[in-house]
Amino acid sequence: MTLAILVAPRFDDASSYSYDWSREIKKVLEDKGFQVIDIGGRPLSRAEVEKALTENPNALFIFYNHGNEDCLWASQTEKAVDEDNVKLLASRECFTMACLSAKQLGVEAYKVGCLAYWGYTEVFAFTTEDADVFKEFANCGLKFKLEGKTWEEALQQAKNLAKELCQKLIEAGKYFSSILLQQDADALRCYTPNNPPTETKCIFRKIALKIFGPKLGWRISRSQALGWLFFLVGYGVTLHAVADELYWKGGYAEIFKPQGEWVGLALVMLGFILLVSDVVKWLRK
Amino acid sequence: MKELDIIIKALKLEAQQKPNERIYVGFKSYTYAEFAEMLNNHKKLAKVEKEFVENFLKTSLKLFKENKAYREKILTLAGEK
């Protein structure tokens, strides 16, 4: 039987709504034959969420509650998942209904090998007036997935559904709800190996994503990037200094003579290429 | 009247009609009227709220420009048509 871990803490008004919405998801999962490990309805601790994730590697992880850019909240004070234990999301699919977490935590999850991270890059907002409409939107992605769609198709269908619901809200004269629903839909992301994250505030990451594309761009660590940068700039400076010295010694003729300096620099470059070739292969995987 | 002013006027009118409805934004919640008031004074808000309200205004303006039904209804509600 396929396993799913459903984490839905409840400790304030907003999380009472998200807990209520998660009940529908639990039923849908059970109807589809999933065994659901249901943890929620109260403030939770980080330890019990970690225990469920550790004991059930690869199980589908579903989270309904507050979130932040770098975490999912277990209670008002304790984080269930953050960048310190994000590795627990590796090799599993994650469906979150929480504010902001796709902005940073979802990207980290993608980087450690999370198979799919469904979440929002902005605050998830809803109105009491149309809580059922927001629930329909919030829950639809996992339902589409369980119907046999890919995550990418589910994301597109969820955005299409949001458009339809938004139009209905406009027709009904519910402008607050329509704007907020549109805002939630705009913030919805699903990161998969086929649909990697593309947004970042870091200028170096932006450059890496532009040059190498998202698949490779996210795998280059800061120390790797700095290492490459220092090596290439240092190599260029050395090359220029040696050429300059040779030029003053005997002009261009001296530069183009076979010199020991050139042999040394060529060997350094060859050594560097051999050293990094494995890293490049790993990055391309 | 600027487009944004028309939208805010219409939202304030909607808020008057629905005094008991609330908006949940993360850990916080507001009545429609409180939220509509924030639309006018968003520059004085805390960073997170300010960002949220600015995003809300951006989305509402985008809908106003791209969605005919939304535009017509907002103009009617605001008494600009």
Side-chain angles (χ1 to χ4, degrees):
Chain A
M1 193 178 259
T2 321
L3 266 175
I5 304 165
L6 174 57
V7 176
R10 180 164 59 176
F11 48 82
D12 62 6
D13 282 354
S15 58
S16 292
Y17 278 95
S18 58
Y19 177 75
D20 174 53
W21 299 357
S22 75
R23 298 305 88 194
E24 185 191 51
I25 282 298
K26 186 184 178 192
K27 191 178 177 307
V28 171
L29 284 164
E30 285 171 344
D31 289 348
K32 290 279 177 188
F34 276 78
Q35 185 192 333
V36 182
I37 300 166
D38 182 17
I39 316 168
R42 58 185 167 81
L44 301 179
S45 71
R46 181 185 181 94
E48 56 189 316
V49 177
E50 281 186 340
K51 186 170 177 272
L53 288 168
T54 310
E55 285 175 357
N56 301 285
N58 310 326
L60 170 64
F61 175 60
I62 302 146
F63 184 88
Y64 274 71
N65 192 17
H66 293 291
N68 215 327
E69 290 188 10
D70 63 344
C71 73
L72 300 169
W73 289 99
S75 70
Q76 245 153 349
T77 53
E78 209 169 348
K79 295 172 180 178
V81 182
D82 62 14
E83 289 179 18
D84 291 335
N85 64 358
V86 69
K87 280 198 173 168
L88 292 170
L89 303 186
S91 307
R92 69 170 89 235
E93 296 168 314
C94 301
F95 181 87
T96 70
M97 205 300 291
C99 297
L100 288 159
S101 75
K103 210 166 191 170
Q104 215 170 303
L105 184 71
V107 175
E108 292 305 317
Y110 167 81
K111 282 158 76 177
V112 298
C114 174
L115 303 175
Y117 190 94
W118 184 283
Y120 300 83
T121 54
E122 301 293 338
V123 176
F124 185 96
F126 64 94
T127 62
T128 48
E129 183 186 14
D130 294 298
D132 282 347
V133 177
F134 285 89
K135 171 184 168 183
E136 187 181 350
F137 169 67
N139 287 357
C140 74
L142 192 58
K143 288 184 190 171
F144 290 141
K145 177 68 181 122
L146 295 174
E147 281 166 12
K149 305 281 185 298
T150 64
W151 283 110
E152 292 81 16
E153 288 167 345
L155 178 68
Q156 194 49 55
Q157 290 205 356
K159 297 220 174 207
N160 293 344
L161 177 69
K163 217 172 218 177
E164 281 173 34
L165 294 173
C166 183
Q167 197 59 38
K168 281 184 190 165
L169 291 169
I170 290 169
E171 301 295 345
K174 295 169 167 183
Y175 309 113
F176 279 103
S177 297
S178 64
I179 298 165
L180 292 173
L181 185 66
Q182 186 59 55
Q183 213 169 322
D184 292 340
D186 289 344
L188 180 61
R189 300 285 183 278
C190 184
Y191 306 137
T192 66
N194 296 325
N195 187 34
T198 53
E199 296 145 297
T200 173
K201 281 181 189 167
C202 172
I203 186 134
F204 297 111
R205 184 68 66 195
K206 274 184 191 166
I207 293 168
L209 291 174
K210 196 144 200 174
I211 295 173
F212 302 110
K215 269 189 181 173
L216 193 56
W218 281 113
R219 304 193 76 172
I220 300 171
S221 70
R222 276 180 203 163
S223 56
Q224 275 172 354
L226 279 174
W228 287 52
L229 185 74
F230 289 161
F231 175 82
L232 292 171
V233 172
Y235 195 83
V237 169
T238 310
L239 210 62
H240 177 263
V242 170
D244 189 53
E245 206 155 297
L246 291 172
Y247 179 81
W248 288 110
K249 212 171 157 188
Y252 286 110
E254 192 67 18
I255 292 176
F256 292 113
K257 268 187 196 168
Q259 307 277 2
E261 288 91 331
W262 296 146
V263 177
L265 283 168
L267 287 173
V268 169
M269 181 54 88
L270 194 64
F272 176 74
I273 291 168
L274 289 172
L275 281 171
V276 299
S277 60
D278 280 346
V279 179
V280 172
K281 271 183 213 158
W282 174 79
L283 286 170
R284 285 187 185 282
K285 262 183 202 169
Chain B
M1 222 177 182
K2 283 183 188 170
E3 288 170 332
L4 215 47
D5 294 332
I6 295 169
I7 295 166
I8 292 172
K9 186 179 171 189
L11 289 171
K12 281 188 171 174
L13 287 165
E14 189 189 357
Q16 276 177 19
Q17 292 163 10
K18 299 165 182 173
N20 299 321
E21 300 298 347
R22 298 190 76 82
I23 295 173
Y24 280 90
V25 183
F27 283 97
K28 293 188 174 176
S29 83
Y30 311 91
T31 63
Y32 280 11
E34 284 166 346
F35 193 79
E37 208 47 55
M38 284 162 65
L39 300 176
N40 269 343
N41 305 315
H42 67 279
K43 283 179 183 156
K44 293 172 194 164
L45 296 172
K47 194 187 165 203
V48 179
E49 282 174 325
K50 190 179 158 190
E51 272 178 18
F52 182 79
V53 171
E54 282 176 352
N55 202 9
F56 181 91
L57 290 172
K58 209 170 106 186
T59 309
S60 60
L61 200 58
K62 194 167 176 250
L63 277 173
F64 190 81
K65 284 179 178 163
E66 294 174 3
N67 190 310
K68 201 181 164 197
Y70 179 84
R71 187 184 172 88
E72 297 292 312
K73 282 182 165 275
I74 286 281
L75 285 170
T76 308
L77 182 60
E80 295 290 322
K81 206 182 168 191

